[in-house]
Amino acid sequence: MTSQRLVVVVNPRGGKRRGLLVLERVQPVFAAAGIELDVLVTQHPGHAEEIVRMLDLTRIDGVCVVGGDGTVHEVADGLMQRSEPISVPLGIIPAGTGNTLAQHLRCDDPLEAARRIVAGCTLPLDVMRVTLSDGVVFCVDIVGWGAVADINATAERLRMLGPSRYAAAALWQILRAKHRRAKLVLDDQIIDDEFLFVIACNPKFTGSGMKVAPHAEIGDGKIDVVFVRRATRWQMLRLFTKVFDGSHLALGFVEYHQVRSFAIDFQGHDLLDLDGEMQGHTPMSVEVLPSALRIFG
């Protein structure tokens, strides 16, 4: 085991508000391995990114997150916003609602996640560089537009439902989904049409158990883009019933592409879903940065 000192960023308020309890559960795993933990507890939204930007990475062997997708996003974005190459791996101890990367790694149990971090094995993790009109954001989970962003905005208002909030929000938005005219650019292919949604995935999953991109791998150097142009409410309901096992790709109106870059040109300022956070507006462009980070797996 090479890692002797880890920084652990804990969000006590995210997801199910159980970050500190999860930390207490996993601390004995690290203590038994002789690993020192520097625990830093976030105080407000955006604090995890601020913490990571200021870390002295030469003195540690990894940065771990105890929290949900939002905290993982902040930590990954904070690492990528630094000027120097990132040499320390990222560890995820799931304590949120969606736990997207943990689902992909088949490691949604905090104790198992801690054991994998202690083992020290790492995997490459691609990062999506999202260029907006007012800056750059780095994502490791998803970039969503249209109904995807609408669903996440609704899910934020339904946090009291726990993991089921994503399914409830999806059903609600299916009944209200609207078409948006935009230009979608996939590598060199231009599609000028109406769309219900566009979602770009790094892992296979989004939300709680929705296998949106079943062919996705987090270190293959590709972005898996799934979109629907036109569909009836009945068709969207069929998509919803099939998305949990990935069989929605067999539906003729669902389109799936693996690309290295994509862009959305929409004549308006539509909110975006960036790693589960409502952040930024269209237009935007995205490129994959292959193996920009490493993740304990």
Side-chain angles (χ1 to χ4, degrees):
M1 174 65 202
T2 58
S3 295
Q4 298 298 318
R5 184 174 178 226
L6 301 172
V7 165
V8 181
V9 179
V10 183
N11 182 355
R13 299 174 182 83
K16 300 177 180 177
R17 298 181 180 271
R18 59 190 181 98
L20 293 175
L21 291 175
V22 170
L23 174 66
E24 187 177 341
R25 284 184 61 201
V26 301
Q27 279 178 319
V29 177
F30 295 102
I35 298 174
E36 180 183 352
L37 301 182
D38 288 350
V39 178
L40 303 173
V41 180
T42 63
Q43 303 299 320
H44 54 79
H47 193 200
E49 180 179 349
E50 295 171 11
I51 289 172
V52 172
R53 282 184 185 238
M54 300 299 293
L55 287 178
D56 181 357
L57 299 183
T58 65
R59 298 171 59 85
I60 61 176
D61 300 290
V63 178
C64 299
V65 181
V66 179
D69 290 339
T71 314
V72 173
H73 167 71
E74 286 191 23
V75 170
D77 188 38
L79 287 171
M80 293 300 301
Q81 296 285 358
R82 297 172 64 107
S83 57
E84 77 275 23
I86 305 304
S87 58
V88 298
L90 175 67
I92 298 176
I93 300 172
T97 305
N99 303 316
T100 303
L101 280 172
Q103 289 180 73
H104 181 95
L105 295 170
R106 298 181 180 179
C107 185
D108 56 3
D109 174 64
L111 288 173
E112 174 60 21
R115 286 190 284 266
R116 291 192 188 186
I117 293 168
V118 166
C121 297
T122 63
L123 302 167
L125 177 64
D126 297 336
V127 175
M128 293 182 282
R129 176 187 170 101
V130 184
T131 301
L132 307 167
S133 59
D134 58 351
V136 173
V137 179
F138 296 92
C139 295
V140 291
D141 289 329
I142 68 160
V143 175
W145 170 74
V148 172
D150 296 340
I151 287 169
N152 191 56
T154 301
E156 284 299 303
R157 298 193 294 269
L158 300 175
R159 280 188 170 270
M160 73 292 295
L161 298 180
S164 64
R165 64 191 175 101
Y166 293 106
L171 283 171
W172 173 249
Q173 286 299 330
I174 282 171
L175 300 176
R176 309 174 70 237
K178 61 181 179 180
H179 294 87
R180 294 165 164 94
R181 186 86 192 186
K183 184 183 294 182
L184 174 64
V185 183
L186 303 170
D187 287 338
D188 297 325
Q189 180 185 3
I190 299 175
I191 304 173
D192 191 342
D193 208 336
E194 291 185 340
F195 299 88
L196 279 172
F197 70 82
V198 177
I199 182 169
C201 302
N202 194 28
K204 299 180 190 296
F205 296 92
T206 189
S208 184
M210 297 183 186
K211 200 172 186 179
V212 174
H215 303 314
E217 297 297 340
I218 60 173
D220 62 359
K222 298 175 183 176
I223 307 168
D224 290 49
V225 180
V226 183
F227 61 91
V228 170
R229 303 193 211 192
R230 298 178 186 85
T232 65
R233 289 175 182 172
W234 173 246
Q235 288 175 318
M236 290 294 285
L237 281 169
R238 287 192 65 205
L239 187 157
F240 175 75
T241 63
K242 293 176 175 293
V243 74
F244 293 94
D245 64 4
S247 62
H248 61 291
L249 296 190
L251 299 173
F253 57 91
V254 177
E255 301 182 55
Y256 192 110
H257 296 258
Q258 291 183 316
V259 300
R260 300 192 182 279
S261 66
F262 78 99
I264 295 175
D265 185 2
F266 174 72
Q267 296 306 310
H269 295 288
D270 248 8
L271 270 174
L272 300 170
D273 179 349
L274 304 182
D275 282 355
E277 300 296 302
M278 302 307 295
Q279 182 180 5
H281 300 82
T282 53
M284 68 164 178
S285 62
V286 182
E287 65 173 319
V288 65
L289 303 178
S291 305
L293 294 174
R294 295 196 67 81
I295 186 169
F296 286 109

